[in-house]
Amino acid sequence: MVDGLKPRPLSGFFLLGVLVPIALWFILRPFLDPVPSVPALYTSSGFSILAFVTTLYLVPALGPRFVQANLKGRDLLKTYSTPIPESQGLVCASVYLLSLILFIPFAFSNVFADRFSSQQKSVHGLAIDEFPHHQLSVYLSSIISLMMATLLGFLDDVFDIRWRHKLPVPIIASIPLLIVYFAERGNTNVVVPKPLRPLIGSLINLGPLYYLYMSLLSTFSTNSINILAGINGSEVLQAIIITISVIVNDLLYLPWPIDWRIPLHLLGNQSEIGSEIRIGGVWSAGMAHGSRVLVERHLFSLYFMLPLLGVCTGFLYHNWYPARAFPGDTLCYLTGMAFAVVGIQAHFSKTLLLFFLPQIFNFLLSCPQLFGLVPCPRHRVPRFDPETNLLHPSTVAFERPPSMRTSSTLHLLSLLGLTRLTKHPKSGQIFEATNLTILNLFLIKLGPMTERQLVKVLGATQVAGSVFAFLIRYGLAGLVYDGDRR
Amino acid sequence: MVDGLKPRPLSGFFLLGVLVPIALWFILRPFLDPVPSVPALYTSSGFSILAFVTTLYLVPALGPRFVQANLKGRDLLKTYSTPIPESQGLVCASVYLLSLILFIPFAFSNVFADRFSSQQKSVHGLAIDEFPHHQLSVYLSSIISLMMATLLGFLDDVFDIRWRHKLPVPIIASIPLLIVYFAERGNTNVVVPKPLRPLIGSLINLGPLYYLYMSLLSTFSTNSINILAGINGSEVLQAIIITISVIVNDLLYLPWPIDWRIPLHLLGNQSEIGSEIRIGGVWSAGMAHGSRVLVERHLFSLYFMLPLLGVCTGFLYHNWYPARAFPGDTLCYLTGMAFAVVGIQAHFSKTLLLFFLPQIFNFLLSCPQLFGLVPCPRHRVPRFDPETNLLHPSTVAFERPPSMRTSSTLHLLSLLGLTRLTKHPKSGQIFEATNLTILNLFLIKLGPMTERQLVKVLGATQVAGSVFAFLIRYGLAGLVYDGDRR
């Protein structure tokens, strides 16, 4: 084994001596007075830290068993050919699902409610003492969908399903979600953008089309991460940045305990003693517009996103360049389905799609190859040059002259700077074209770079996409939508 | 490939031309007038037939993919060494889980209720128009447990976990069940047998012990099937007979539409015109003692057992001697967890255990080997004699003289006729003992037989056990319990 491929060292002191006590404090905090305004959120944070620590330990510990069971792969972009454990997203999925399940009594039983009723509620605004029980079946159906995604992702890893066949697989995993949505008579209305309202009214009931939309959302979120893959850390880094974006968006809707008061009477306004502007109260209900339903939805989303952040961050430590563990399709299925779950159940699917801008771009760029207009080799990852340790754009070679359609598509893409063609100097016939992925595009635009640099560029792009998404969502959406209810 | 190992032929006419239309009729029947008394039960029966047909087709169709993915095994009790697809219980599990999920809207939405409210209820007694919505989360948590059992069973097949380590695995799968039971404040009371009531009252609250009992039940039902395995068809045949027993027991509690009236006034009793004894009414509420809750519980059980019967029967066709497909641990985990789910959620765990008499006997018989008193070889399946095609009891050989404890245990078992020892003619030292399983015991008692005969003997024993169980349950239980509420 190459020396650099020993499992990365873990700081037992920091993990067990610092993080675990912090996690336990978060879990126990709701049982101490004064009870915080959203007690289950503390528990969820505690579980997420534990999930992080557990994943950090389990991934390297179980690695050899994965290799033994033939779940292993060669790193294509390295000089060595040491087998690396593959499909270890399964470890993440197991830890994630178990923490979601263990969390159930904290969110859905009367553990906290009993304590609340015995003491005066001391928090202003939209303090939520307990998560509504009727949401339990929605929560459970989400777990079932996540579990099906895990199972199907793992089957994909074991049976190596061809990618054309696995495109619709997430639809199967979304069935439990849709069926419970139907059984619970879920809302299938969509708010119409302002310009269209004179034509079709302000609300439109999509009916069965809404279910189609939901199943396509899960297909998109799963596969779009799966096709932006191939270099160390890429899948899980995307997932982490999207997760953080969703978490930030959720936090905007929570009833924060911040309760700043600007005492007006001290500023000379003596007419009304005690008059004050309470920023906490106003801001806490700001994004939620005083809607308890909105707060509940975003809490629901947080309960799924926080532990996901935990397991993904733990996994990234071992998956970072040079990778000691590969995620496999299992991780892409799991994270994609988790995003679909919160987008659907917490009703912010349009905002969610904004966080997928790099994925959407990559998907659109890939379309000519995905749908057969341009030949698609089995791997489209950048080409590794062992001499310089740099990555170069990978190419698809044309043994015979490409058809008219293919070559005009490629010329158009080349004109837009999205691919680089190698042509016969005289006839102009295309010999080679770079593969149509965002990773190759980075290499065309920024020149050859190391794998470590490339994954950082990818991460930076994803962060920039999320910043842009927030600007659109909270800056421009007001032009076409009036409320913030989506 | 041995000619006899081609996939068994399927009658397309019978399956697609007869069974599928029957299944569709069952599914559509509740939408036709008059609406039957338990509409969702028709749908469940229809889905179960479809699950049967689907399994029949999918098992041989997916076999080669399993072999390719290295999920294959040699049949130890055959002359040929053709690789047989292993872990195909995964196919059963997938079909089973999908049919349970697709069934949700029929049981838990208002599909039927709406129709009911629009027409007069025409059925007497405990006609149930809809399954209670509050049961949805219980149903979903059961699916999660079944899915975890499937996932863990499949992981066991892929990673080949040692049996000592996998004994507690079903406890993990039972967590969702227990947590939702807790979150829903499930009943943890147990009815006390009559003789003990003067001491501790008629009901006792077991509290946390009840959860321990439930998790142990799932461990027992899973592992007890898993250790009574090794010959073609044994695992799935046991599962089928237990499933049928549970179904028969459930049917006793349903509100049957049979409505026999004995018109007393025609028999000369003119005093009350119109007086009559209604057997239908009386019998329909007979076992349920007029309790709607009991009917609901047994409906719940049927919704899980009917499709299980479907997939297991479909699988048996391919697993029957000589087997074309092996179930793997996946099937044992799935069926074991399904029995635990219905036993726990429908509150008849004691009755359920009665259906496990052969498994309990086999477990007790195996204890000396499971817990290290007698050495335990990796496989304890009977020994195959290729000359005669007969099975003989397999043995464990003692290279060194066994310890005092081991040899006295073996002598005791031999005295009871449960094992056969080979001893030194003079010193009496034990050279060999037959392995302590019910299969070897059959071979000791009945002499060597073919694998096909042995699995039939096992099946007959299981049927006899269930008949005996019904006698105890409905004959003798009255001596120690007054109600039928367990």
Side-chain angles (χ1 to χ4, degrees):
Chain A
M1 185 184 278
V2 180
D3 191 53
L5 279 187
K6 282 185 188 152
R8 289 214 164 90
L10 295 172
S11 159
F13 169 72
F14 176 68
L15 295 176
L16 302 181
V18 178
L19 277 187
V20 169
I22 291 178
L24 294 178
W25 181 83
F26 268 107
I27 293 173
L28 291 176
R29 176 66 191 82
F31 296 98
L32 307 174
D33 285 317
V35 181
S37 59
V38 188
L41 191 56
Y42 281 74
T43 322
S44 179
S45 311
F47 274 138
S48 305
I49 298 172
L50 288 184
F52 168 72
V53 176
T54 313
T55 311
L56 267 184
Y57 274 107
L58 280 186
V59 167
L62 295 176
R65 297 302 306 260
F66 276 70
V67 174
Q68 266 174 39
N70 209 29
L71 292 166
K72 61 187 177 191
R74 231 210 98 196
D75 199 328
L76 296 173
L77 307 181
K78 302 290 184 301
T79 49
Y80 49 82
S81 60
T82 320
I84 312 277
E86 176 66 273
S87 314
Q88 286 214 293
L90 185 65
V91 179
C92 301
S94 309
V95 174
Y96 179 57
L97 289 167
L98 213 57
S99 59
L100 285 179
I101 288 169
L102 291 175
F103 177 64
I104 292 174
F106 296 93
F108 301 98
S109 77
N110 296 323
V111 176
F112 302 132
D114 289 350
R115 288 176 51 76
F116 257 96
S117 56
S118 65
Q119 70 173 71
Q120 215 183 357
K121 297 196 184 187
S122 57
V123 188
H124 306 275
L126 289 167
I128 303 252
D129 50 351
E130 50 166 327
F131 204 71
H133 288 202
H134 67 267
Q135 290 271 35
L136 178 54
S137 54
V138 173
Y139 186 89
L140 293 175
S141 73
S142 306
I143 292 182
I144 296 180
S145 275
L146 287 168
M147 214 167 234
M148 282 187 88
T150 304
L151 194 61
L152 291 167
F154 189 61
L155 291 185
D156 188 354
D157 283 333
V158 171
F159 291 104
D160 200 15
I161 304 168
R162 290 194 52 202
W163 74 261
R164 266 175 221 269
H165 296 157
K166 71 195 186 195
L167 268 183
V169 163
I171 294 182
I172 300 174
S174 67
I175 290 175
L177 215 60
L178 304 185
I179 288 218
V180 170
Y181 200 88
F182 173 76
E184 298 264 298
R185 292 174 171 260
N187 174 18
T188 54
N189 291 319
V190 168
V191 178
V192 177
K194 277 186 201 168
L196 296 177
R197 287 190 194 171
L199 296 171
I200 47 176
S202 62
L203 268 185
I204 183 169
N205 187 357
L206 289 184
L209 282 182
Y210 194 82
Y211 291 92
L212 184 68
Y213 168 68
M214 291 196 287
S215 60
L216 290 182
L217 183 68
S218 62
T219 311
F220 170 78
S221 59
T222 301
N223 286 304
S224 66
I225 295 181
N226 213 357
I227 63 171
L228 212 175
I231 62 173
N232 290 176
S234 59
E235 299 91 338
V236 69
L237 187 63
Q238 297 167 62
I240 287 176
I241 295 169
I242 297 173
T243 308
I244 293 175
S245 309
V246 174
I247 289 175
V248 169
N249 185 53
D250 288 332
L251 290 178
L252 295 178
Y253 293 82
L254 286 205
W256 284 91
I258 302 164
D259 196 18
W260 290 337
R261 296 167 196 218
I262 302 176
L264 291 180
H265 58 279
L266 295 185
L267 297 174
N269 185 346
Q270 293 288 346
S271 61
E272 299 170 60
I273 303 274
S275 72
E276 52 188 17
I277 295 172
R278 288 168 50 187
I279 291 183
V282 172
W283 191 64
S284 73
M287 295 295 179
H289 280 305
S291 155
R292 189 189 164 106
V293 172
L294 267 188
V295 176
E296 282 176 3
R297 283 180 184 169
H298 286 281
L299 272 180
F300 185 92
S301 168
L302 281 172
Y303 296 158
F304 280 90
M305 287 294 112
L306 290 174
L308 188 67
L309 181 62
V311 296
C312 284
T313 319
F315 187 71
L316 182 64
Y317 183 73
H318 302 288
N319 184 227
W320 189 252
Y321 178 92
R324 270 76 165 175
F326 288 154
D329 289 327
T330 317
L331 191 91
C332 300
Y333 278 70
L334 177 79
T335 52
M337 186 50 73
F339 297 133
V341 159
V342 298
I344 292 169
Q345 305 283 30
H347 296 265
F348 58 82
S349 55
K350 290 203 293 290
T351 308
L352 179 72
L353 284 177
L354 284 177
F355 298 138
F356 275 81
L357 289 177
Q359 284 71 28
I360 294 174
F361 178 81
N362 185 58
F363 172 71
L364 293 176
L365 184 59
S366 300
C367 275
Q369 286 194 303
L370 294 184
F371 298 108
L373 207 57
V374 173
C376 185
R378 180 153 171 79
H379 290 287
R380 304 191 298 161
V381 287
R383 182 173 57 80
F384 174 62
D385 181 356
E387 304 280 310
T388 58
N389 205 29
L390 293 178
L391 298 184
H392 297 266
S394 66
T395 55
V396 54
F398 295 93
E399 288 165 15
R400 286 178 301 176
S403 72
M404 191 62 200
R405 260 194 350 179
T406 304
S407 86
S408 53
T409 310
L410 286 174
H411 276 117
L412 179 65
L413 289 168
S414 161
L415 210 66
L416 295 169
L418 299 174
T419 184
R420 191 193 286 155
L421 305 178
T422 313
K423 289 189 268 194
H424 190 278
K426 291 211 178 125
S427 71
Q429 184 198 313
I430 300 173
F431 288 142
E432 267 188 349
T434 59
N435 279 308
L436 301 167
T437 70
I438 199 171
L439 293 179
N440 286 319
L441 185 62
F442 289 144
L443 294 172
I444 293 175
K445 296 288 172 201
L446 305 174
M449 57 181 107
T450 62
E451 193 175 355
R452 193 198 300 261
Q453 287 168 324
L454 185 57
V455 75
K456 284 181 182 167
V457 170
L458 176 65
T461 311
Q462 189 84 43
V463 171
S466 282
V467 170
F468 185 65
F470 274 104
L471 288 177
I472 295 185
R473 174 65 185 81
Y474 294 101
L476 300 180
L479 299 180
V480 285
Y481 288 104
D482 45 3
D484 289 26
R485 303 206 75 249
R486 229 91 308 238
Chain B
M1 186 184 278
V2 180
D3 191 53
L5 280 187
K6 282 183 189 155
R8 290 214 164 87
L10 296 172
S11 159
F13 168 73
F14 175 68
L15 296 176
L16 302 180
V18 178
L19 277 188
V20 169
I22 292 179
L24 294 178
W25 180 84
F26 267 108
I27 293 172
L28 293 176
R29 177 64 191 81
F31 296 98
L32 306 174
D33 285 317
V35 181
S37 59
V38 189
L41 191 56
Y42 281 74
T43 321
S44 179
S45 311
F47 274 138
S48 306
I49 298 172
L50 288 184
F52 168 72
V53 175
T54 313
T55 311
L56 266 185
Y57 274 107
L58 280 186
V59 167
L62 295 176
R65 298 301 305 260
F66 277 70
V67 174
Q68 266 175 40
N70 210 28
L71 292 165
K72 61 187 177 190
R74 229 210 98 194
D75 199 329
L76 296 173
L77 307 181
K78 301 289 184 299
T79 49
Y80 49 82
S81 59
T82 320
I84 312 278
E86 176 66 274
S87 314
Q88 285 214 294
L90 185 66
V91 179
C92 301
S94 309
V95 175
Y96 179 56
L97 289 167
L98 213 57
S99 57
L100 285 180
I101 288 168
L102 292 175
F103 177 63
I104 292 173
F106 296 92
F108 299 99
S109 77
N110 296 324
V111 175
F112 302 131
D114 289 351
R115 288 177 49 77
F116 256 97
S117 56
S118 65
Q119 71 173 69
Q120 213 183 359
K121 297 196 184 185
S122 57
V123 189
H124 306 275
L126 289 166
I128 304 252
D129 50 350
E130 51 166 325
F131 205 70
H133 287 200
H134 66 266
Q135 291 272 35
L136 178 54
S137 52
V138 173
Y139 186 88
L140 292 174
S141 73
S142 307
I143 291 182
I144 295 180
S145 275
L146 287 167
M147 214 165 233
M148 282 187 88
T150 304
L151 194 60
L152 290 167
F154 188 61
L155 291 186
D156 188 354
D157 283 334
V158 170
F159 290 104
D160 201 15
I161 304 168
R162 291 193 52 203
W163 72 261
R164 265 173 224 270
H165 297 156
K166 72 193 185 196
L167 267 183
V169 163
I171 294 182
I172 300 173
S174 68
I175 289 175
L177 215 59
L178 304 186
I179 287 218
V180 171
Y181 200 88
F182 173 75
E184 298 264 298
R185 292 174 171 258
N187 174 18
T188 54
N189 292 319
V190 167
V191 179
V192 176
K194 277 187 201 168
L196 296 176
R197 286 188 194 171
L199 295 171
I200 48 178
S202 62
L203 269 183
I204 183 168
N205 188 357
L206 289 183
L209 282 181
Y210 195 82
Y211 291 92
L212 184 69
Y213 168 70
M214 290 196 287
S215 59
L216 290 181
L217 183 68
S218 62
T219 312
F220 170 77
S221 59
T222 301
N223 286 304
S224 65
I225 295 181
N226 213 357
I227 62 172
L228 211 175
I231 62 173
N232 290 175
S234 58
E235 300 91 339
V236 69
L237 187 63
Q238 298 168 61
I240 288 176
I241 296 168
I242 297 172
T243 308
I244 293 176
S245 309
V246 174
I247 290 175
V248 169
N249 185 54
D250 288 332
L251 290 178
L252 295 178
Y253 292 83
L254 286 204
W256 285 90
I258 301 164
D259 195 18
W260 289 337
R261 297 168 194 216
I262 302 176
L264 291 181
H265 58 280
L266 294 186
L267 297 173
N269 186 345
Q270 293 287 346
S271 60
E272 299 170 60
I273 303 274
S275 73
E276 51 187 17
I277 295 173
R278 288 168 51 188
I279 291 183
V282 172
W283 190 63
S284 74
M287 294 295 179
H289 280 305
S291 155
R292 189 187 164 107
V293 172
L294 267 188
V295 176
E296 284 176 3
R297 284 179 182 170
H298 286 280
L299 273 180
F300 185 92
S301 168
L302 280 172
Y303 295 159
F304 280 90
M305 288 293 111
L306 290 174
L308 188 68
L309 182 62
V311 295
C312 284
T313 319
F315 187 71
L316 182 63
Y317 183 74
H318 302 289
N319 184 228
W320 189 252
Y321 179 91
R324 270 77 164 173
F326 288 154
D329 288 329
T330 317
L331 191 90
C332 300
Y333 277 70
L334 177 79
T335 52
M337 186 51 73
F339 296 133
V341 159
V342 298
I344 292 169
Q345 305 283 32
H347 296 265
F348 58 82
S349 55
K350 290 202 294 291
T351 309
L352 179 72
L353 284 177
L354 284 176
F355 298 138
F356 275 82
L357 290 177
Q359 283 73 27
I360 294 174
F361 178 81
N362 184 57
F363 173 72
L364 293 176
L365 183 59
S366 300
C367 275
Q369 286 195 302
L370 294 183
F371 297 109
L373 206 57
V374 173
C376 185
R378 182 155 169 76
H379 290 287
R380 303 191 300 161
V381 287
R383 181 173 59 78
F384 175 62
D385 180 357
E387 304 281 309
T388 57
N389 206 27
L390 293 179
L391 298 182
H392 298 267
S394 67
T395 55
V396 52
F398 296 93
E399 287 166 16
R400 286 180 300 176
S403 71
M404 191 61 201
R405 260 194 349 180
T406 305
S407 90
S408 53
T409 310
L410 286 173
H411 276 118
L412 178 66
L413 289 168
S414 160
L415 208 66
L416 294 168
L418 300 174
T419 184
R420 190 194 286 156
L421 305 178
T422 314
K423 290 189 269 193
H424 190 278
K426 293 212 179 124
S427 70
Q429 184 199 312
I430 301 172
F431 287 143
E432 266 188 350
T434 58
N435 280 309
L436 301 167
T437 70
I438 200 172
L439 294 179
N440 286 319
L441 185 62
F442 288 145
L443 294 171
I444 294 175
K445 295 289 171 199
L446 306 174
M449 57 181 109
T450 62
E451 193 175 356
R452 194 197 299 260
Q453 288 168 325
L454 184 57
V455 75
K456 285 181 183 167
V457 170
L458 176 66
T461 310
Q462 190 84 41
V463 171
S466 283
V467 171
F468 185 64
F470 275 103
L471 288 177
I472 295 184
R473 172 67 186 79
Y474 296 100
L476 300 179
L479 299 180
V480 285
Y481 289 103
D482 44 5
D484 289 24
R485 303 206 73 249
R486 253 7 45 186

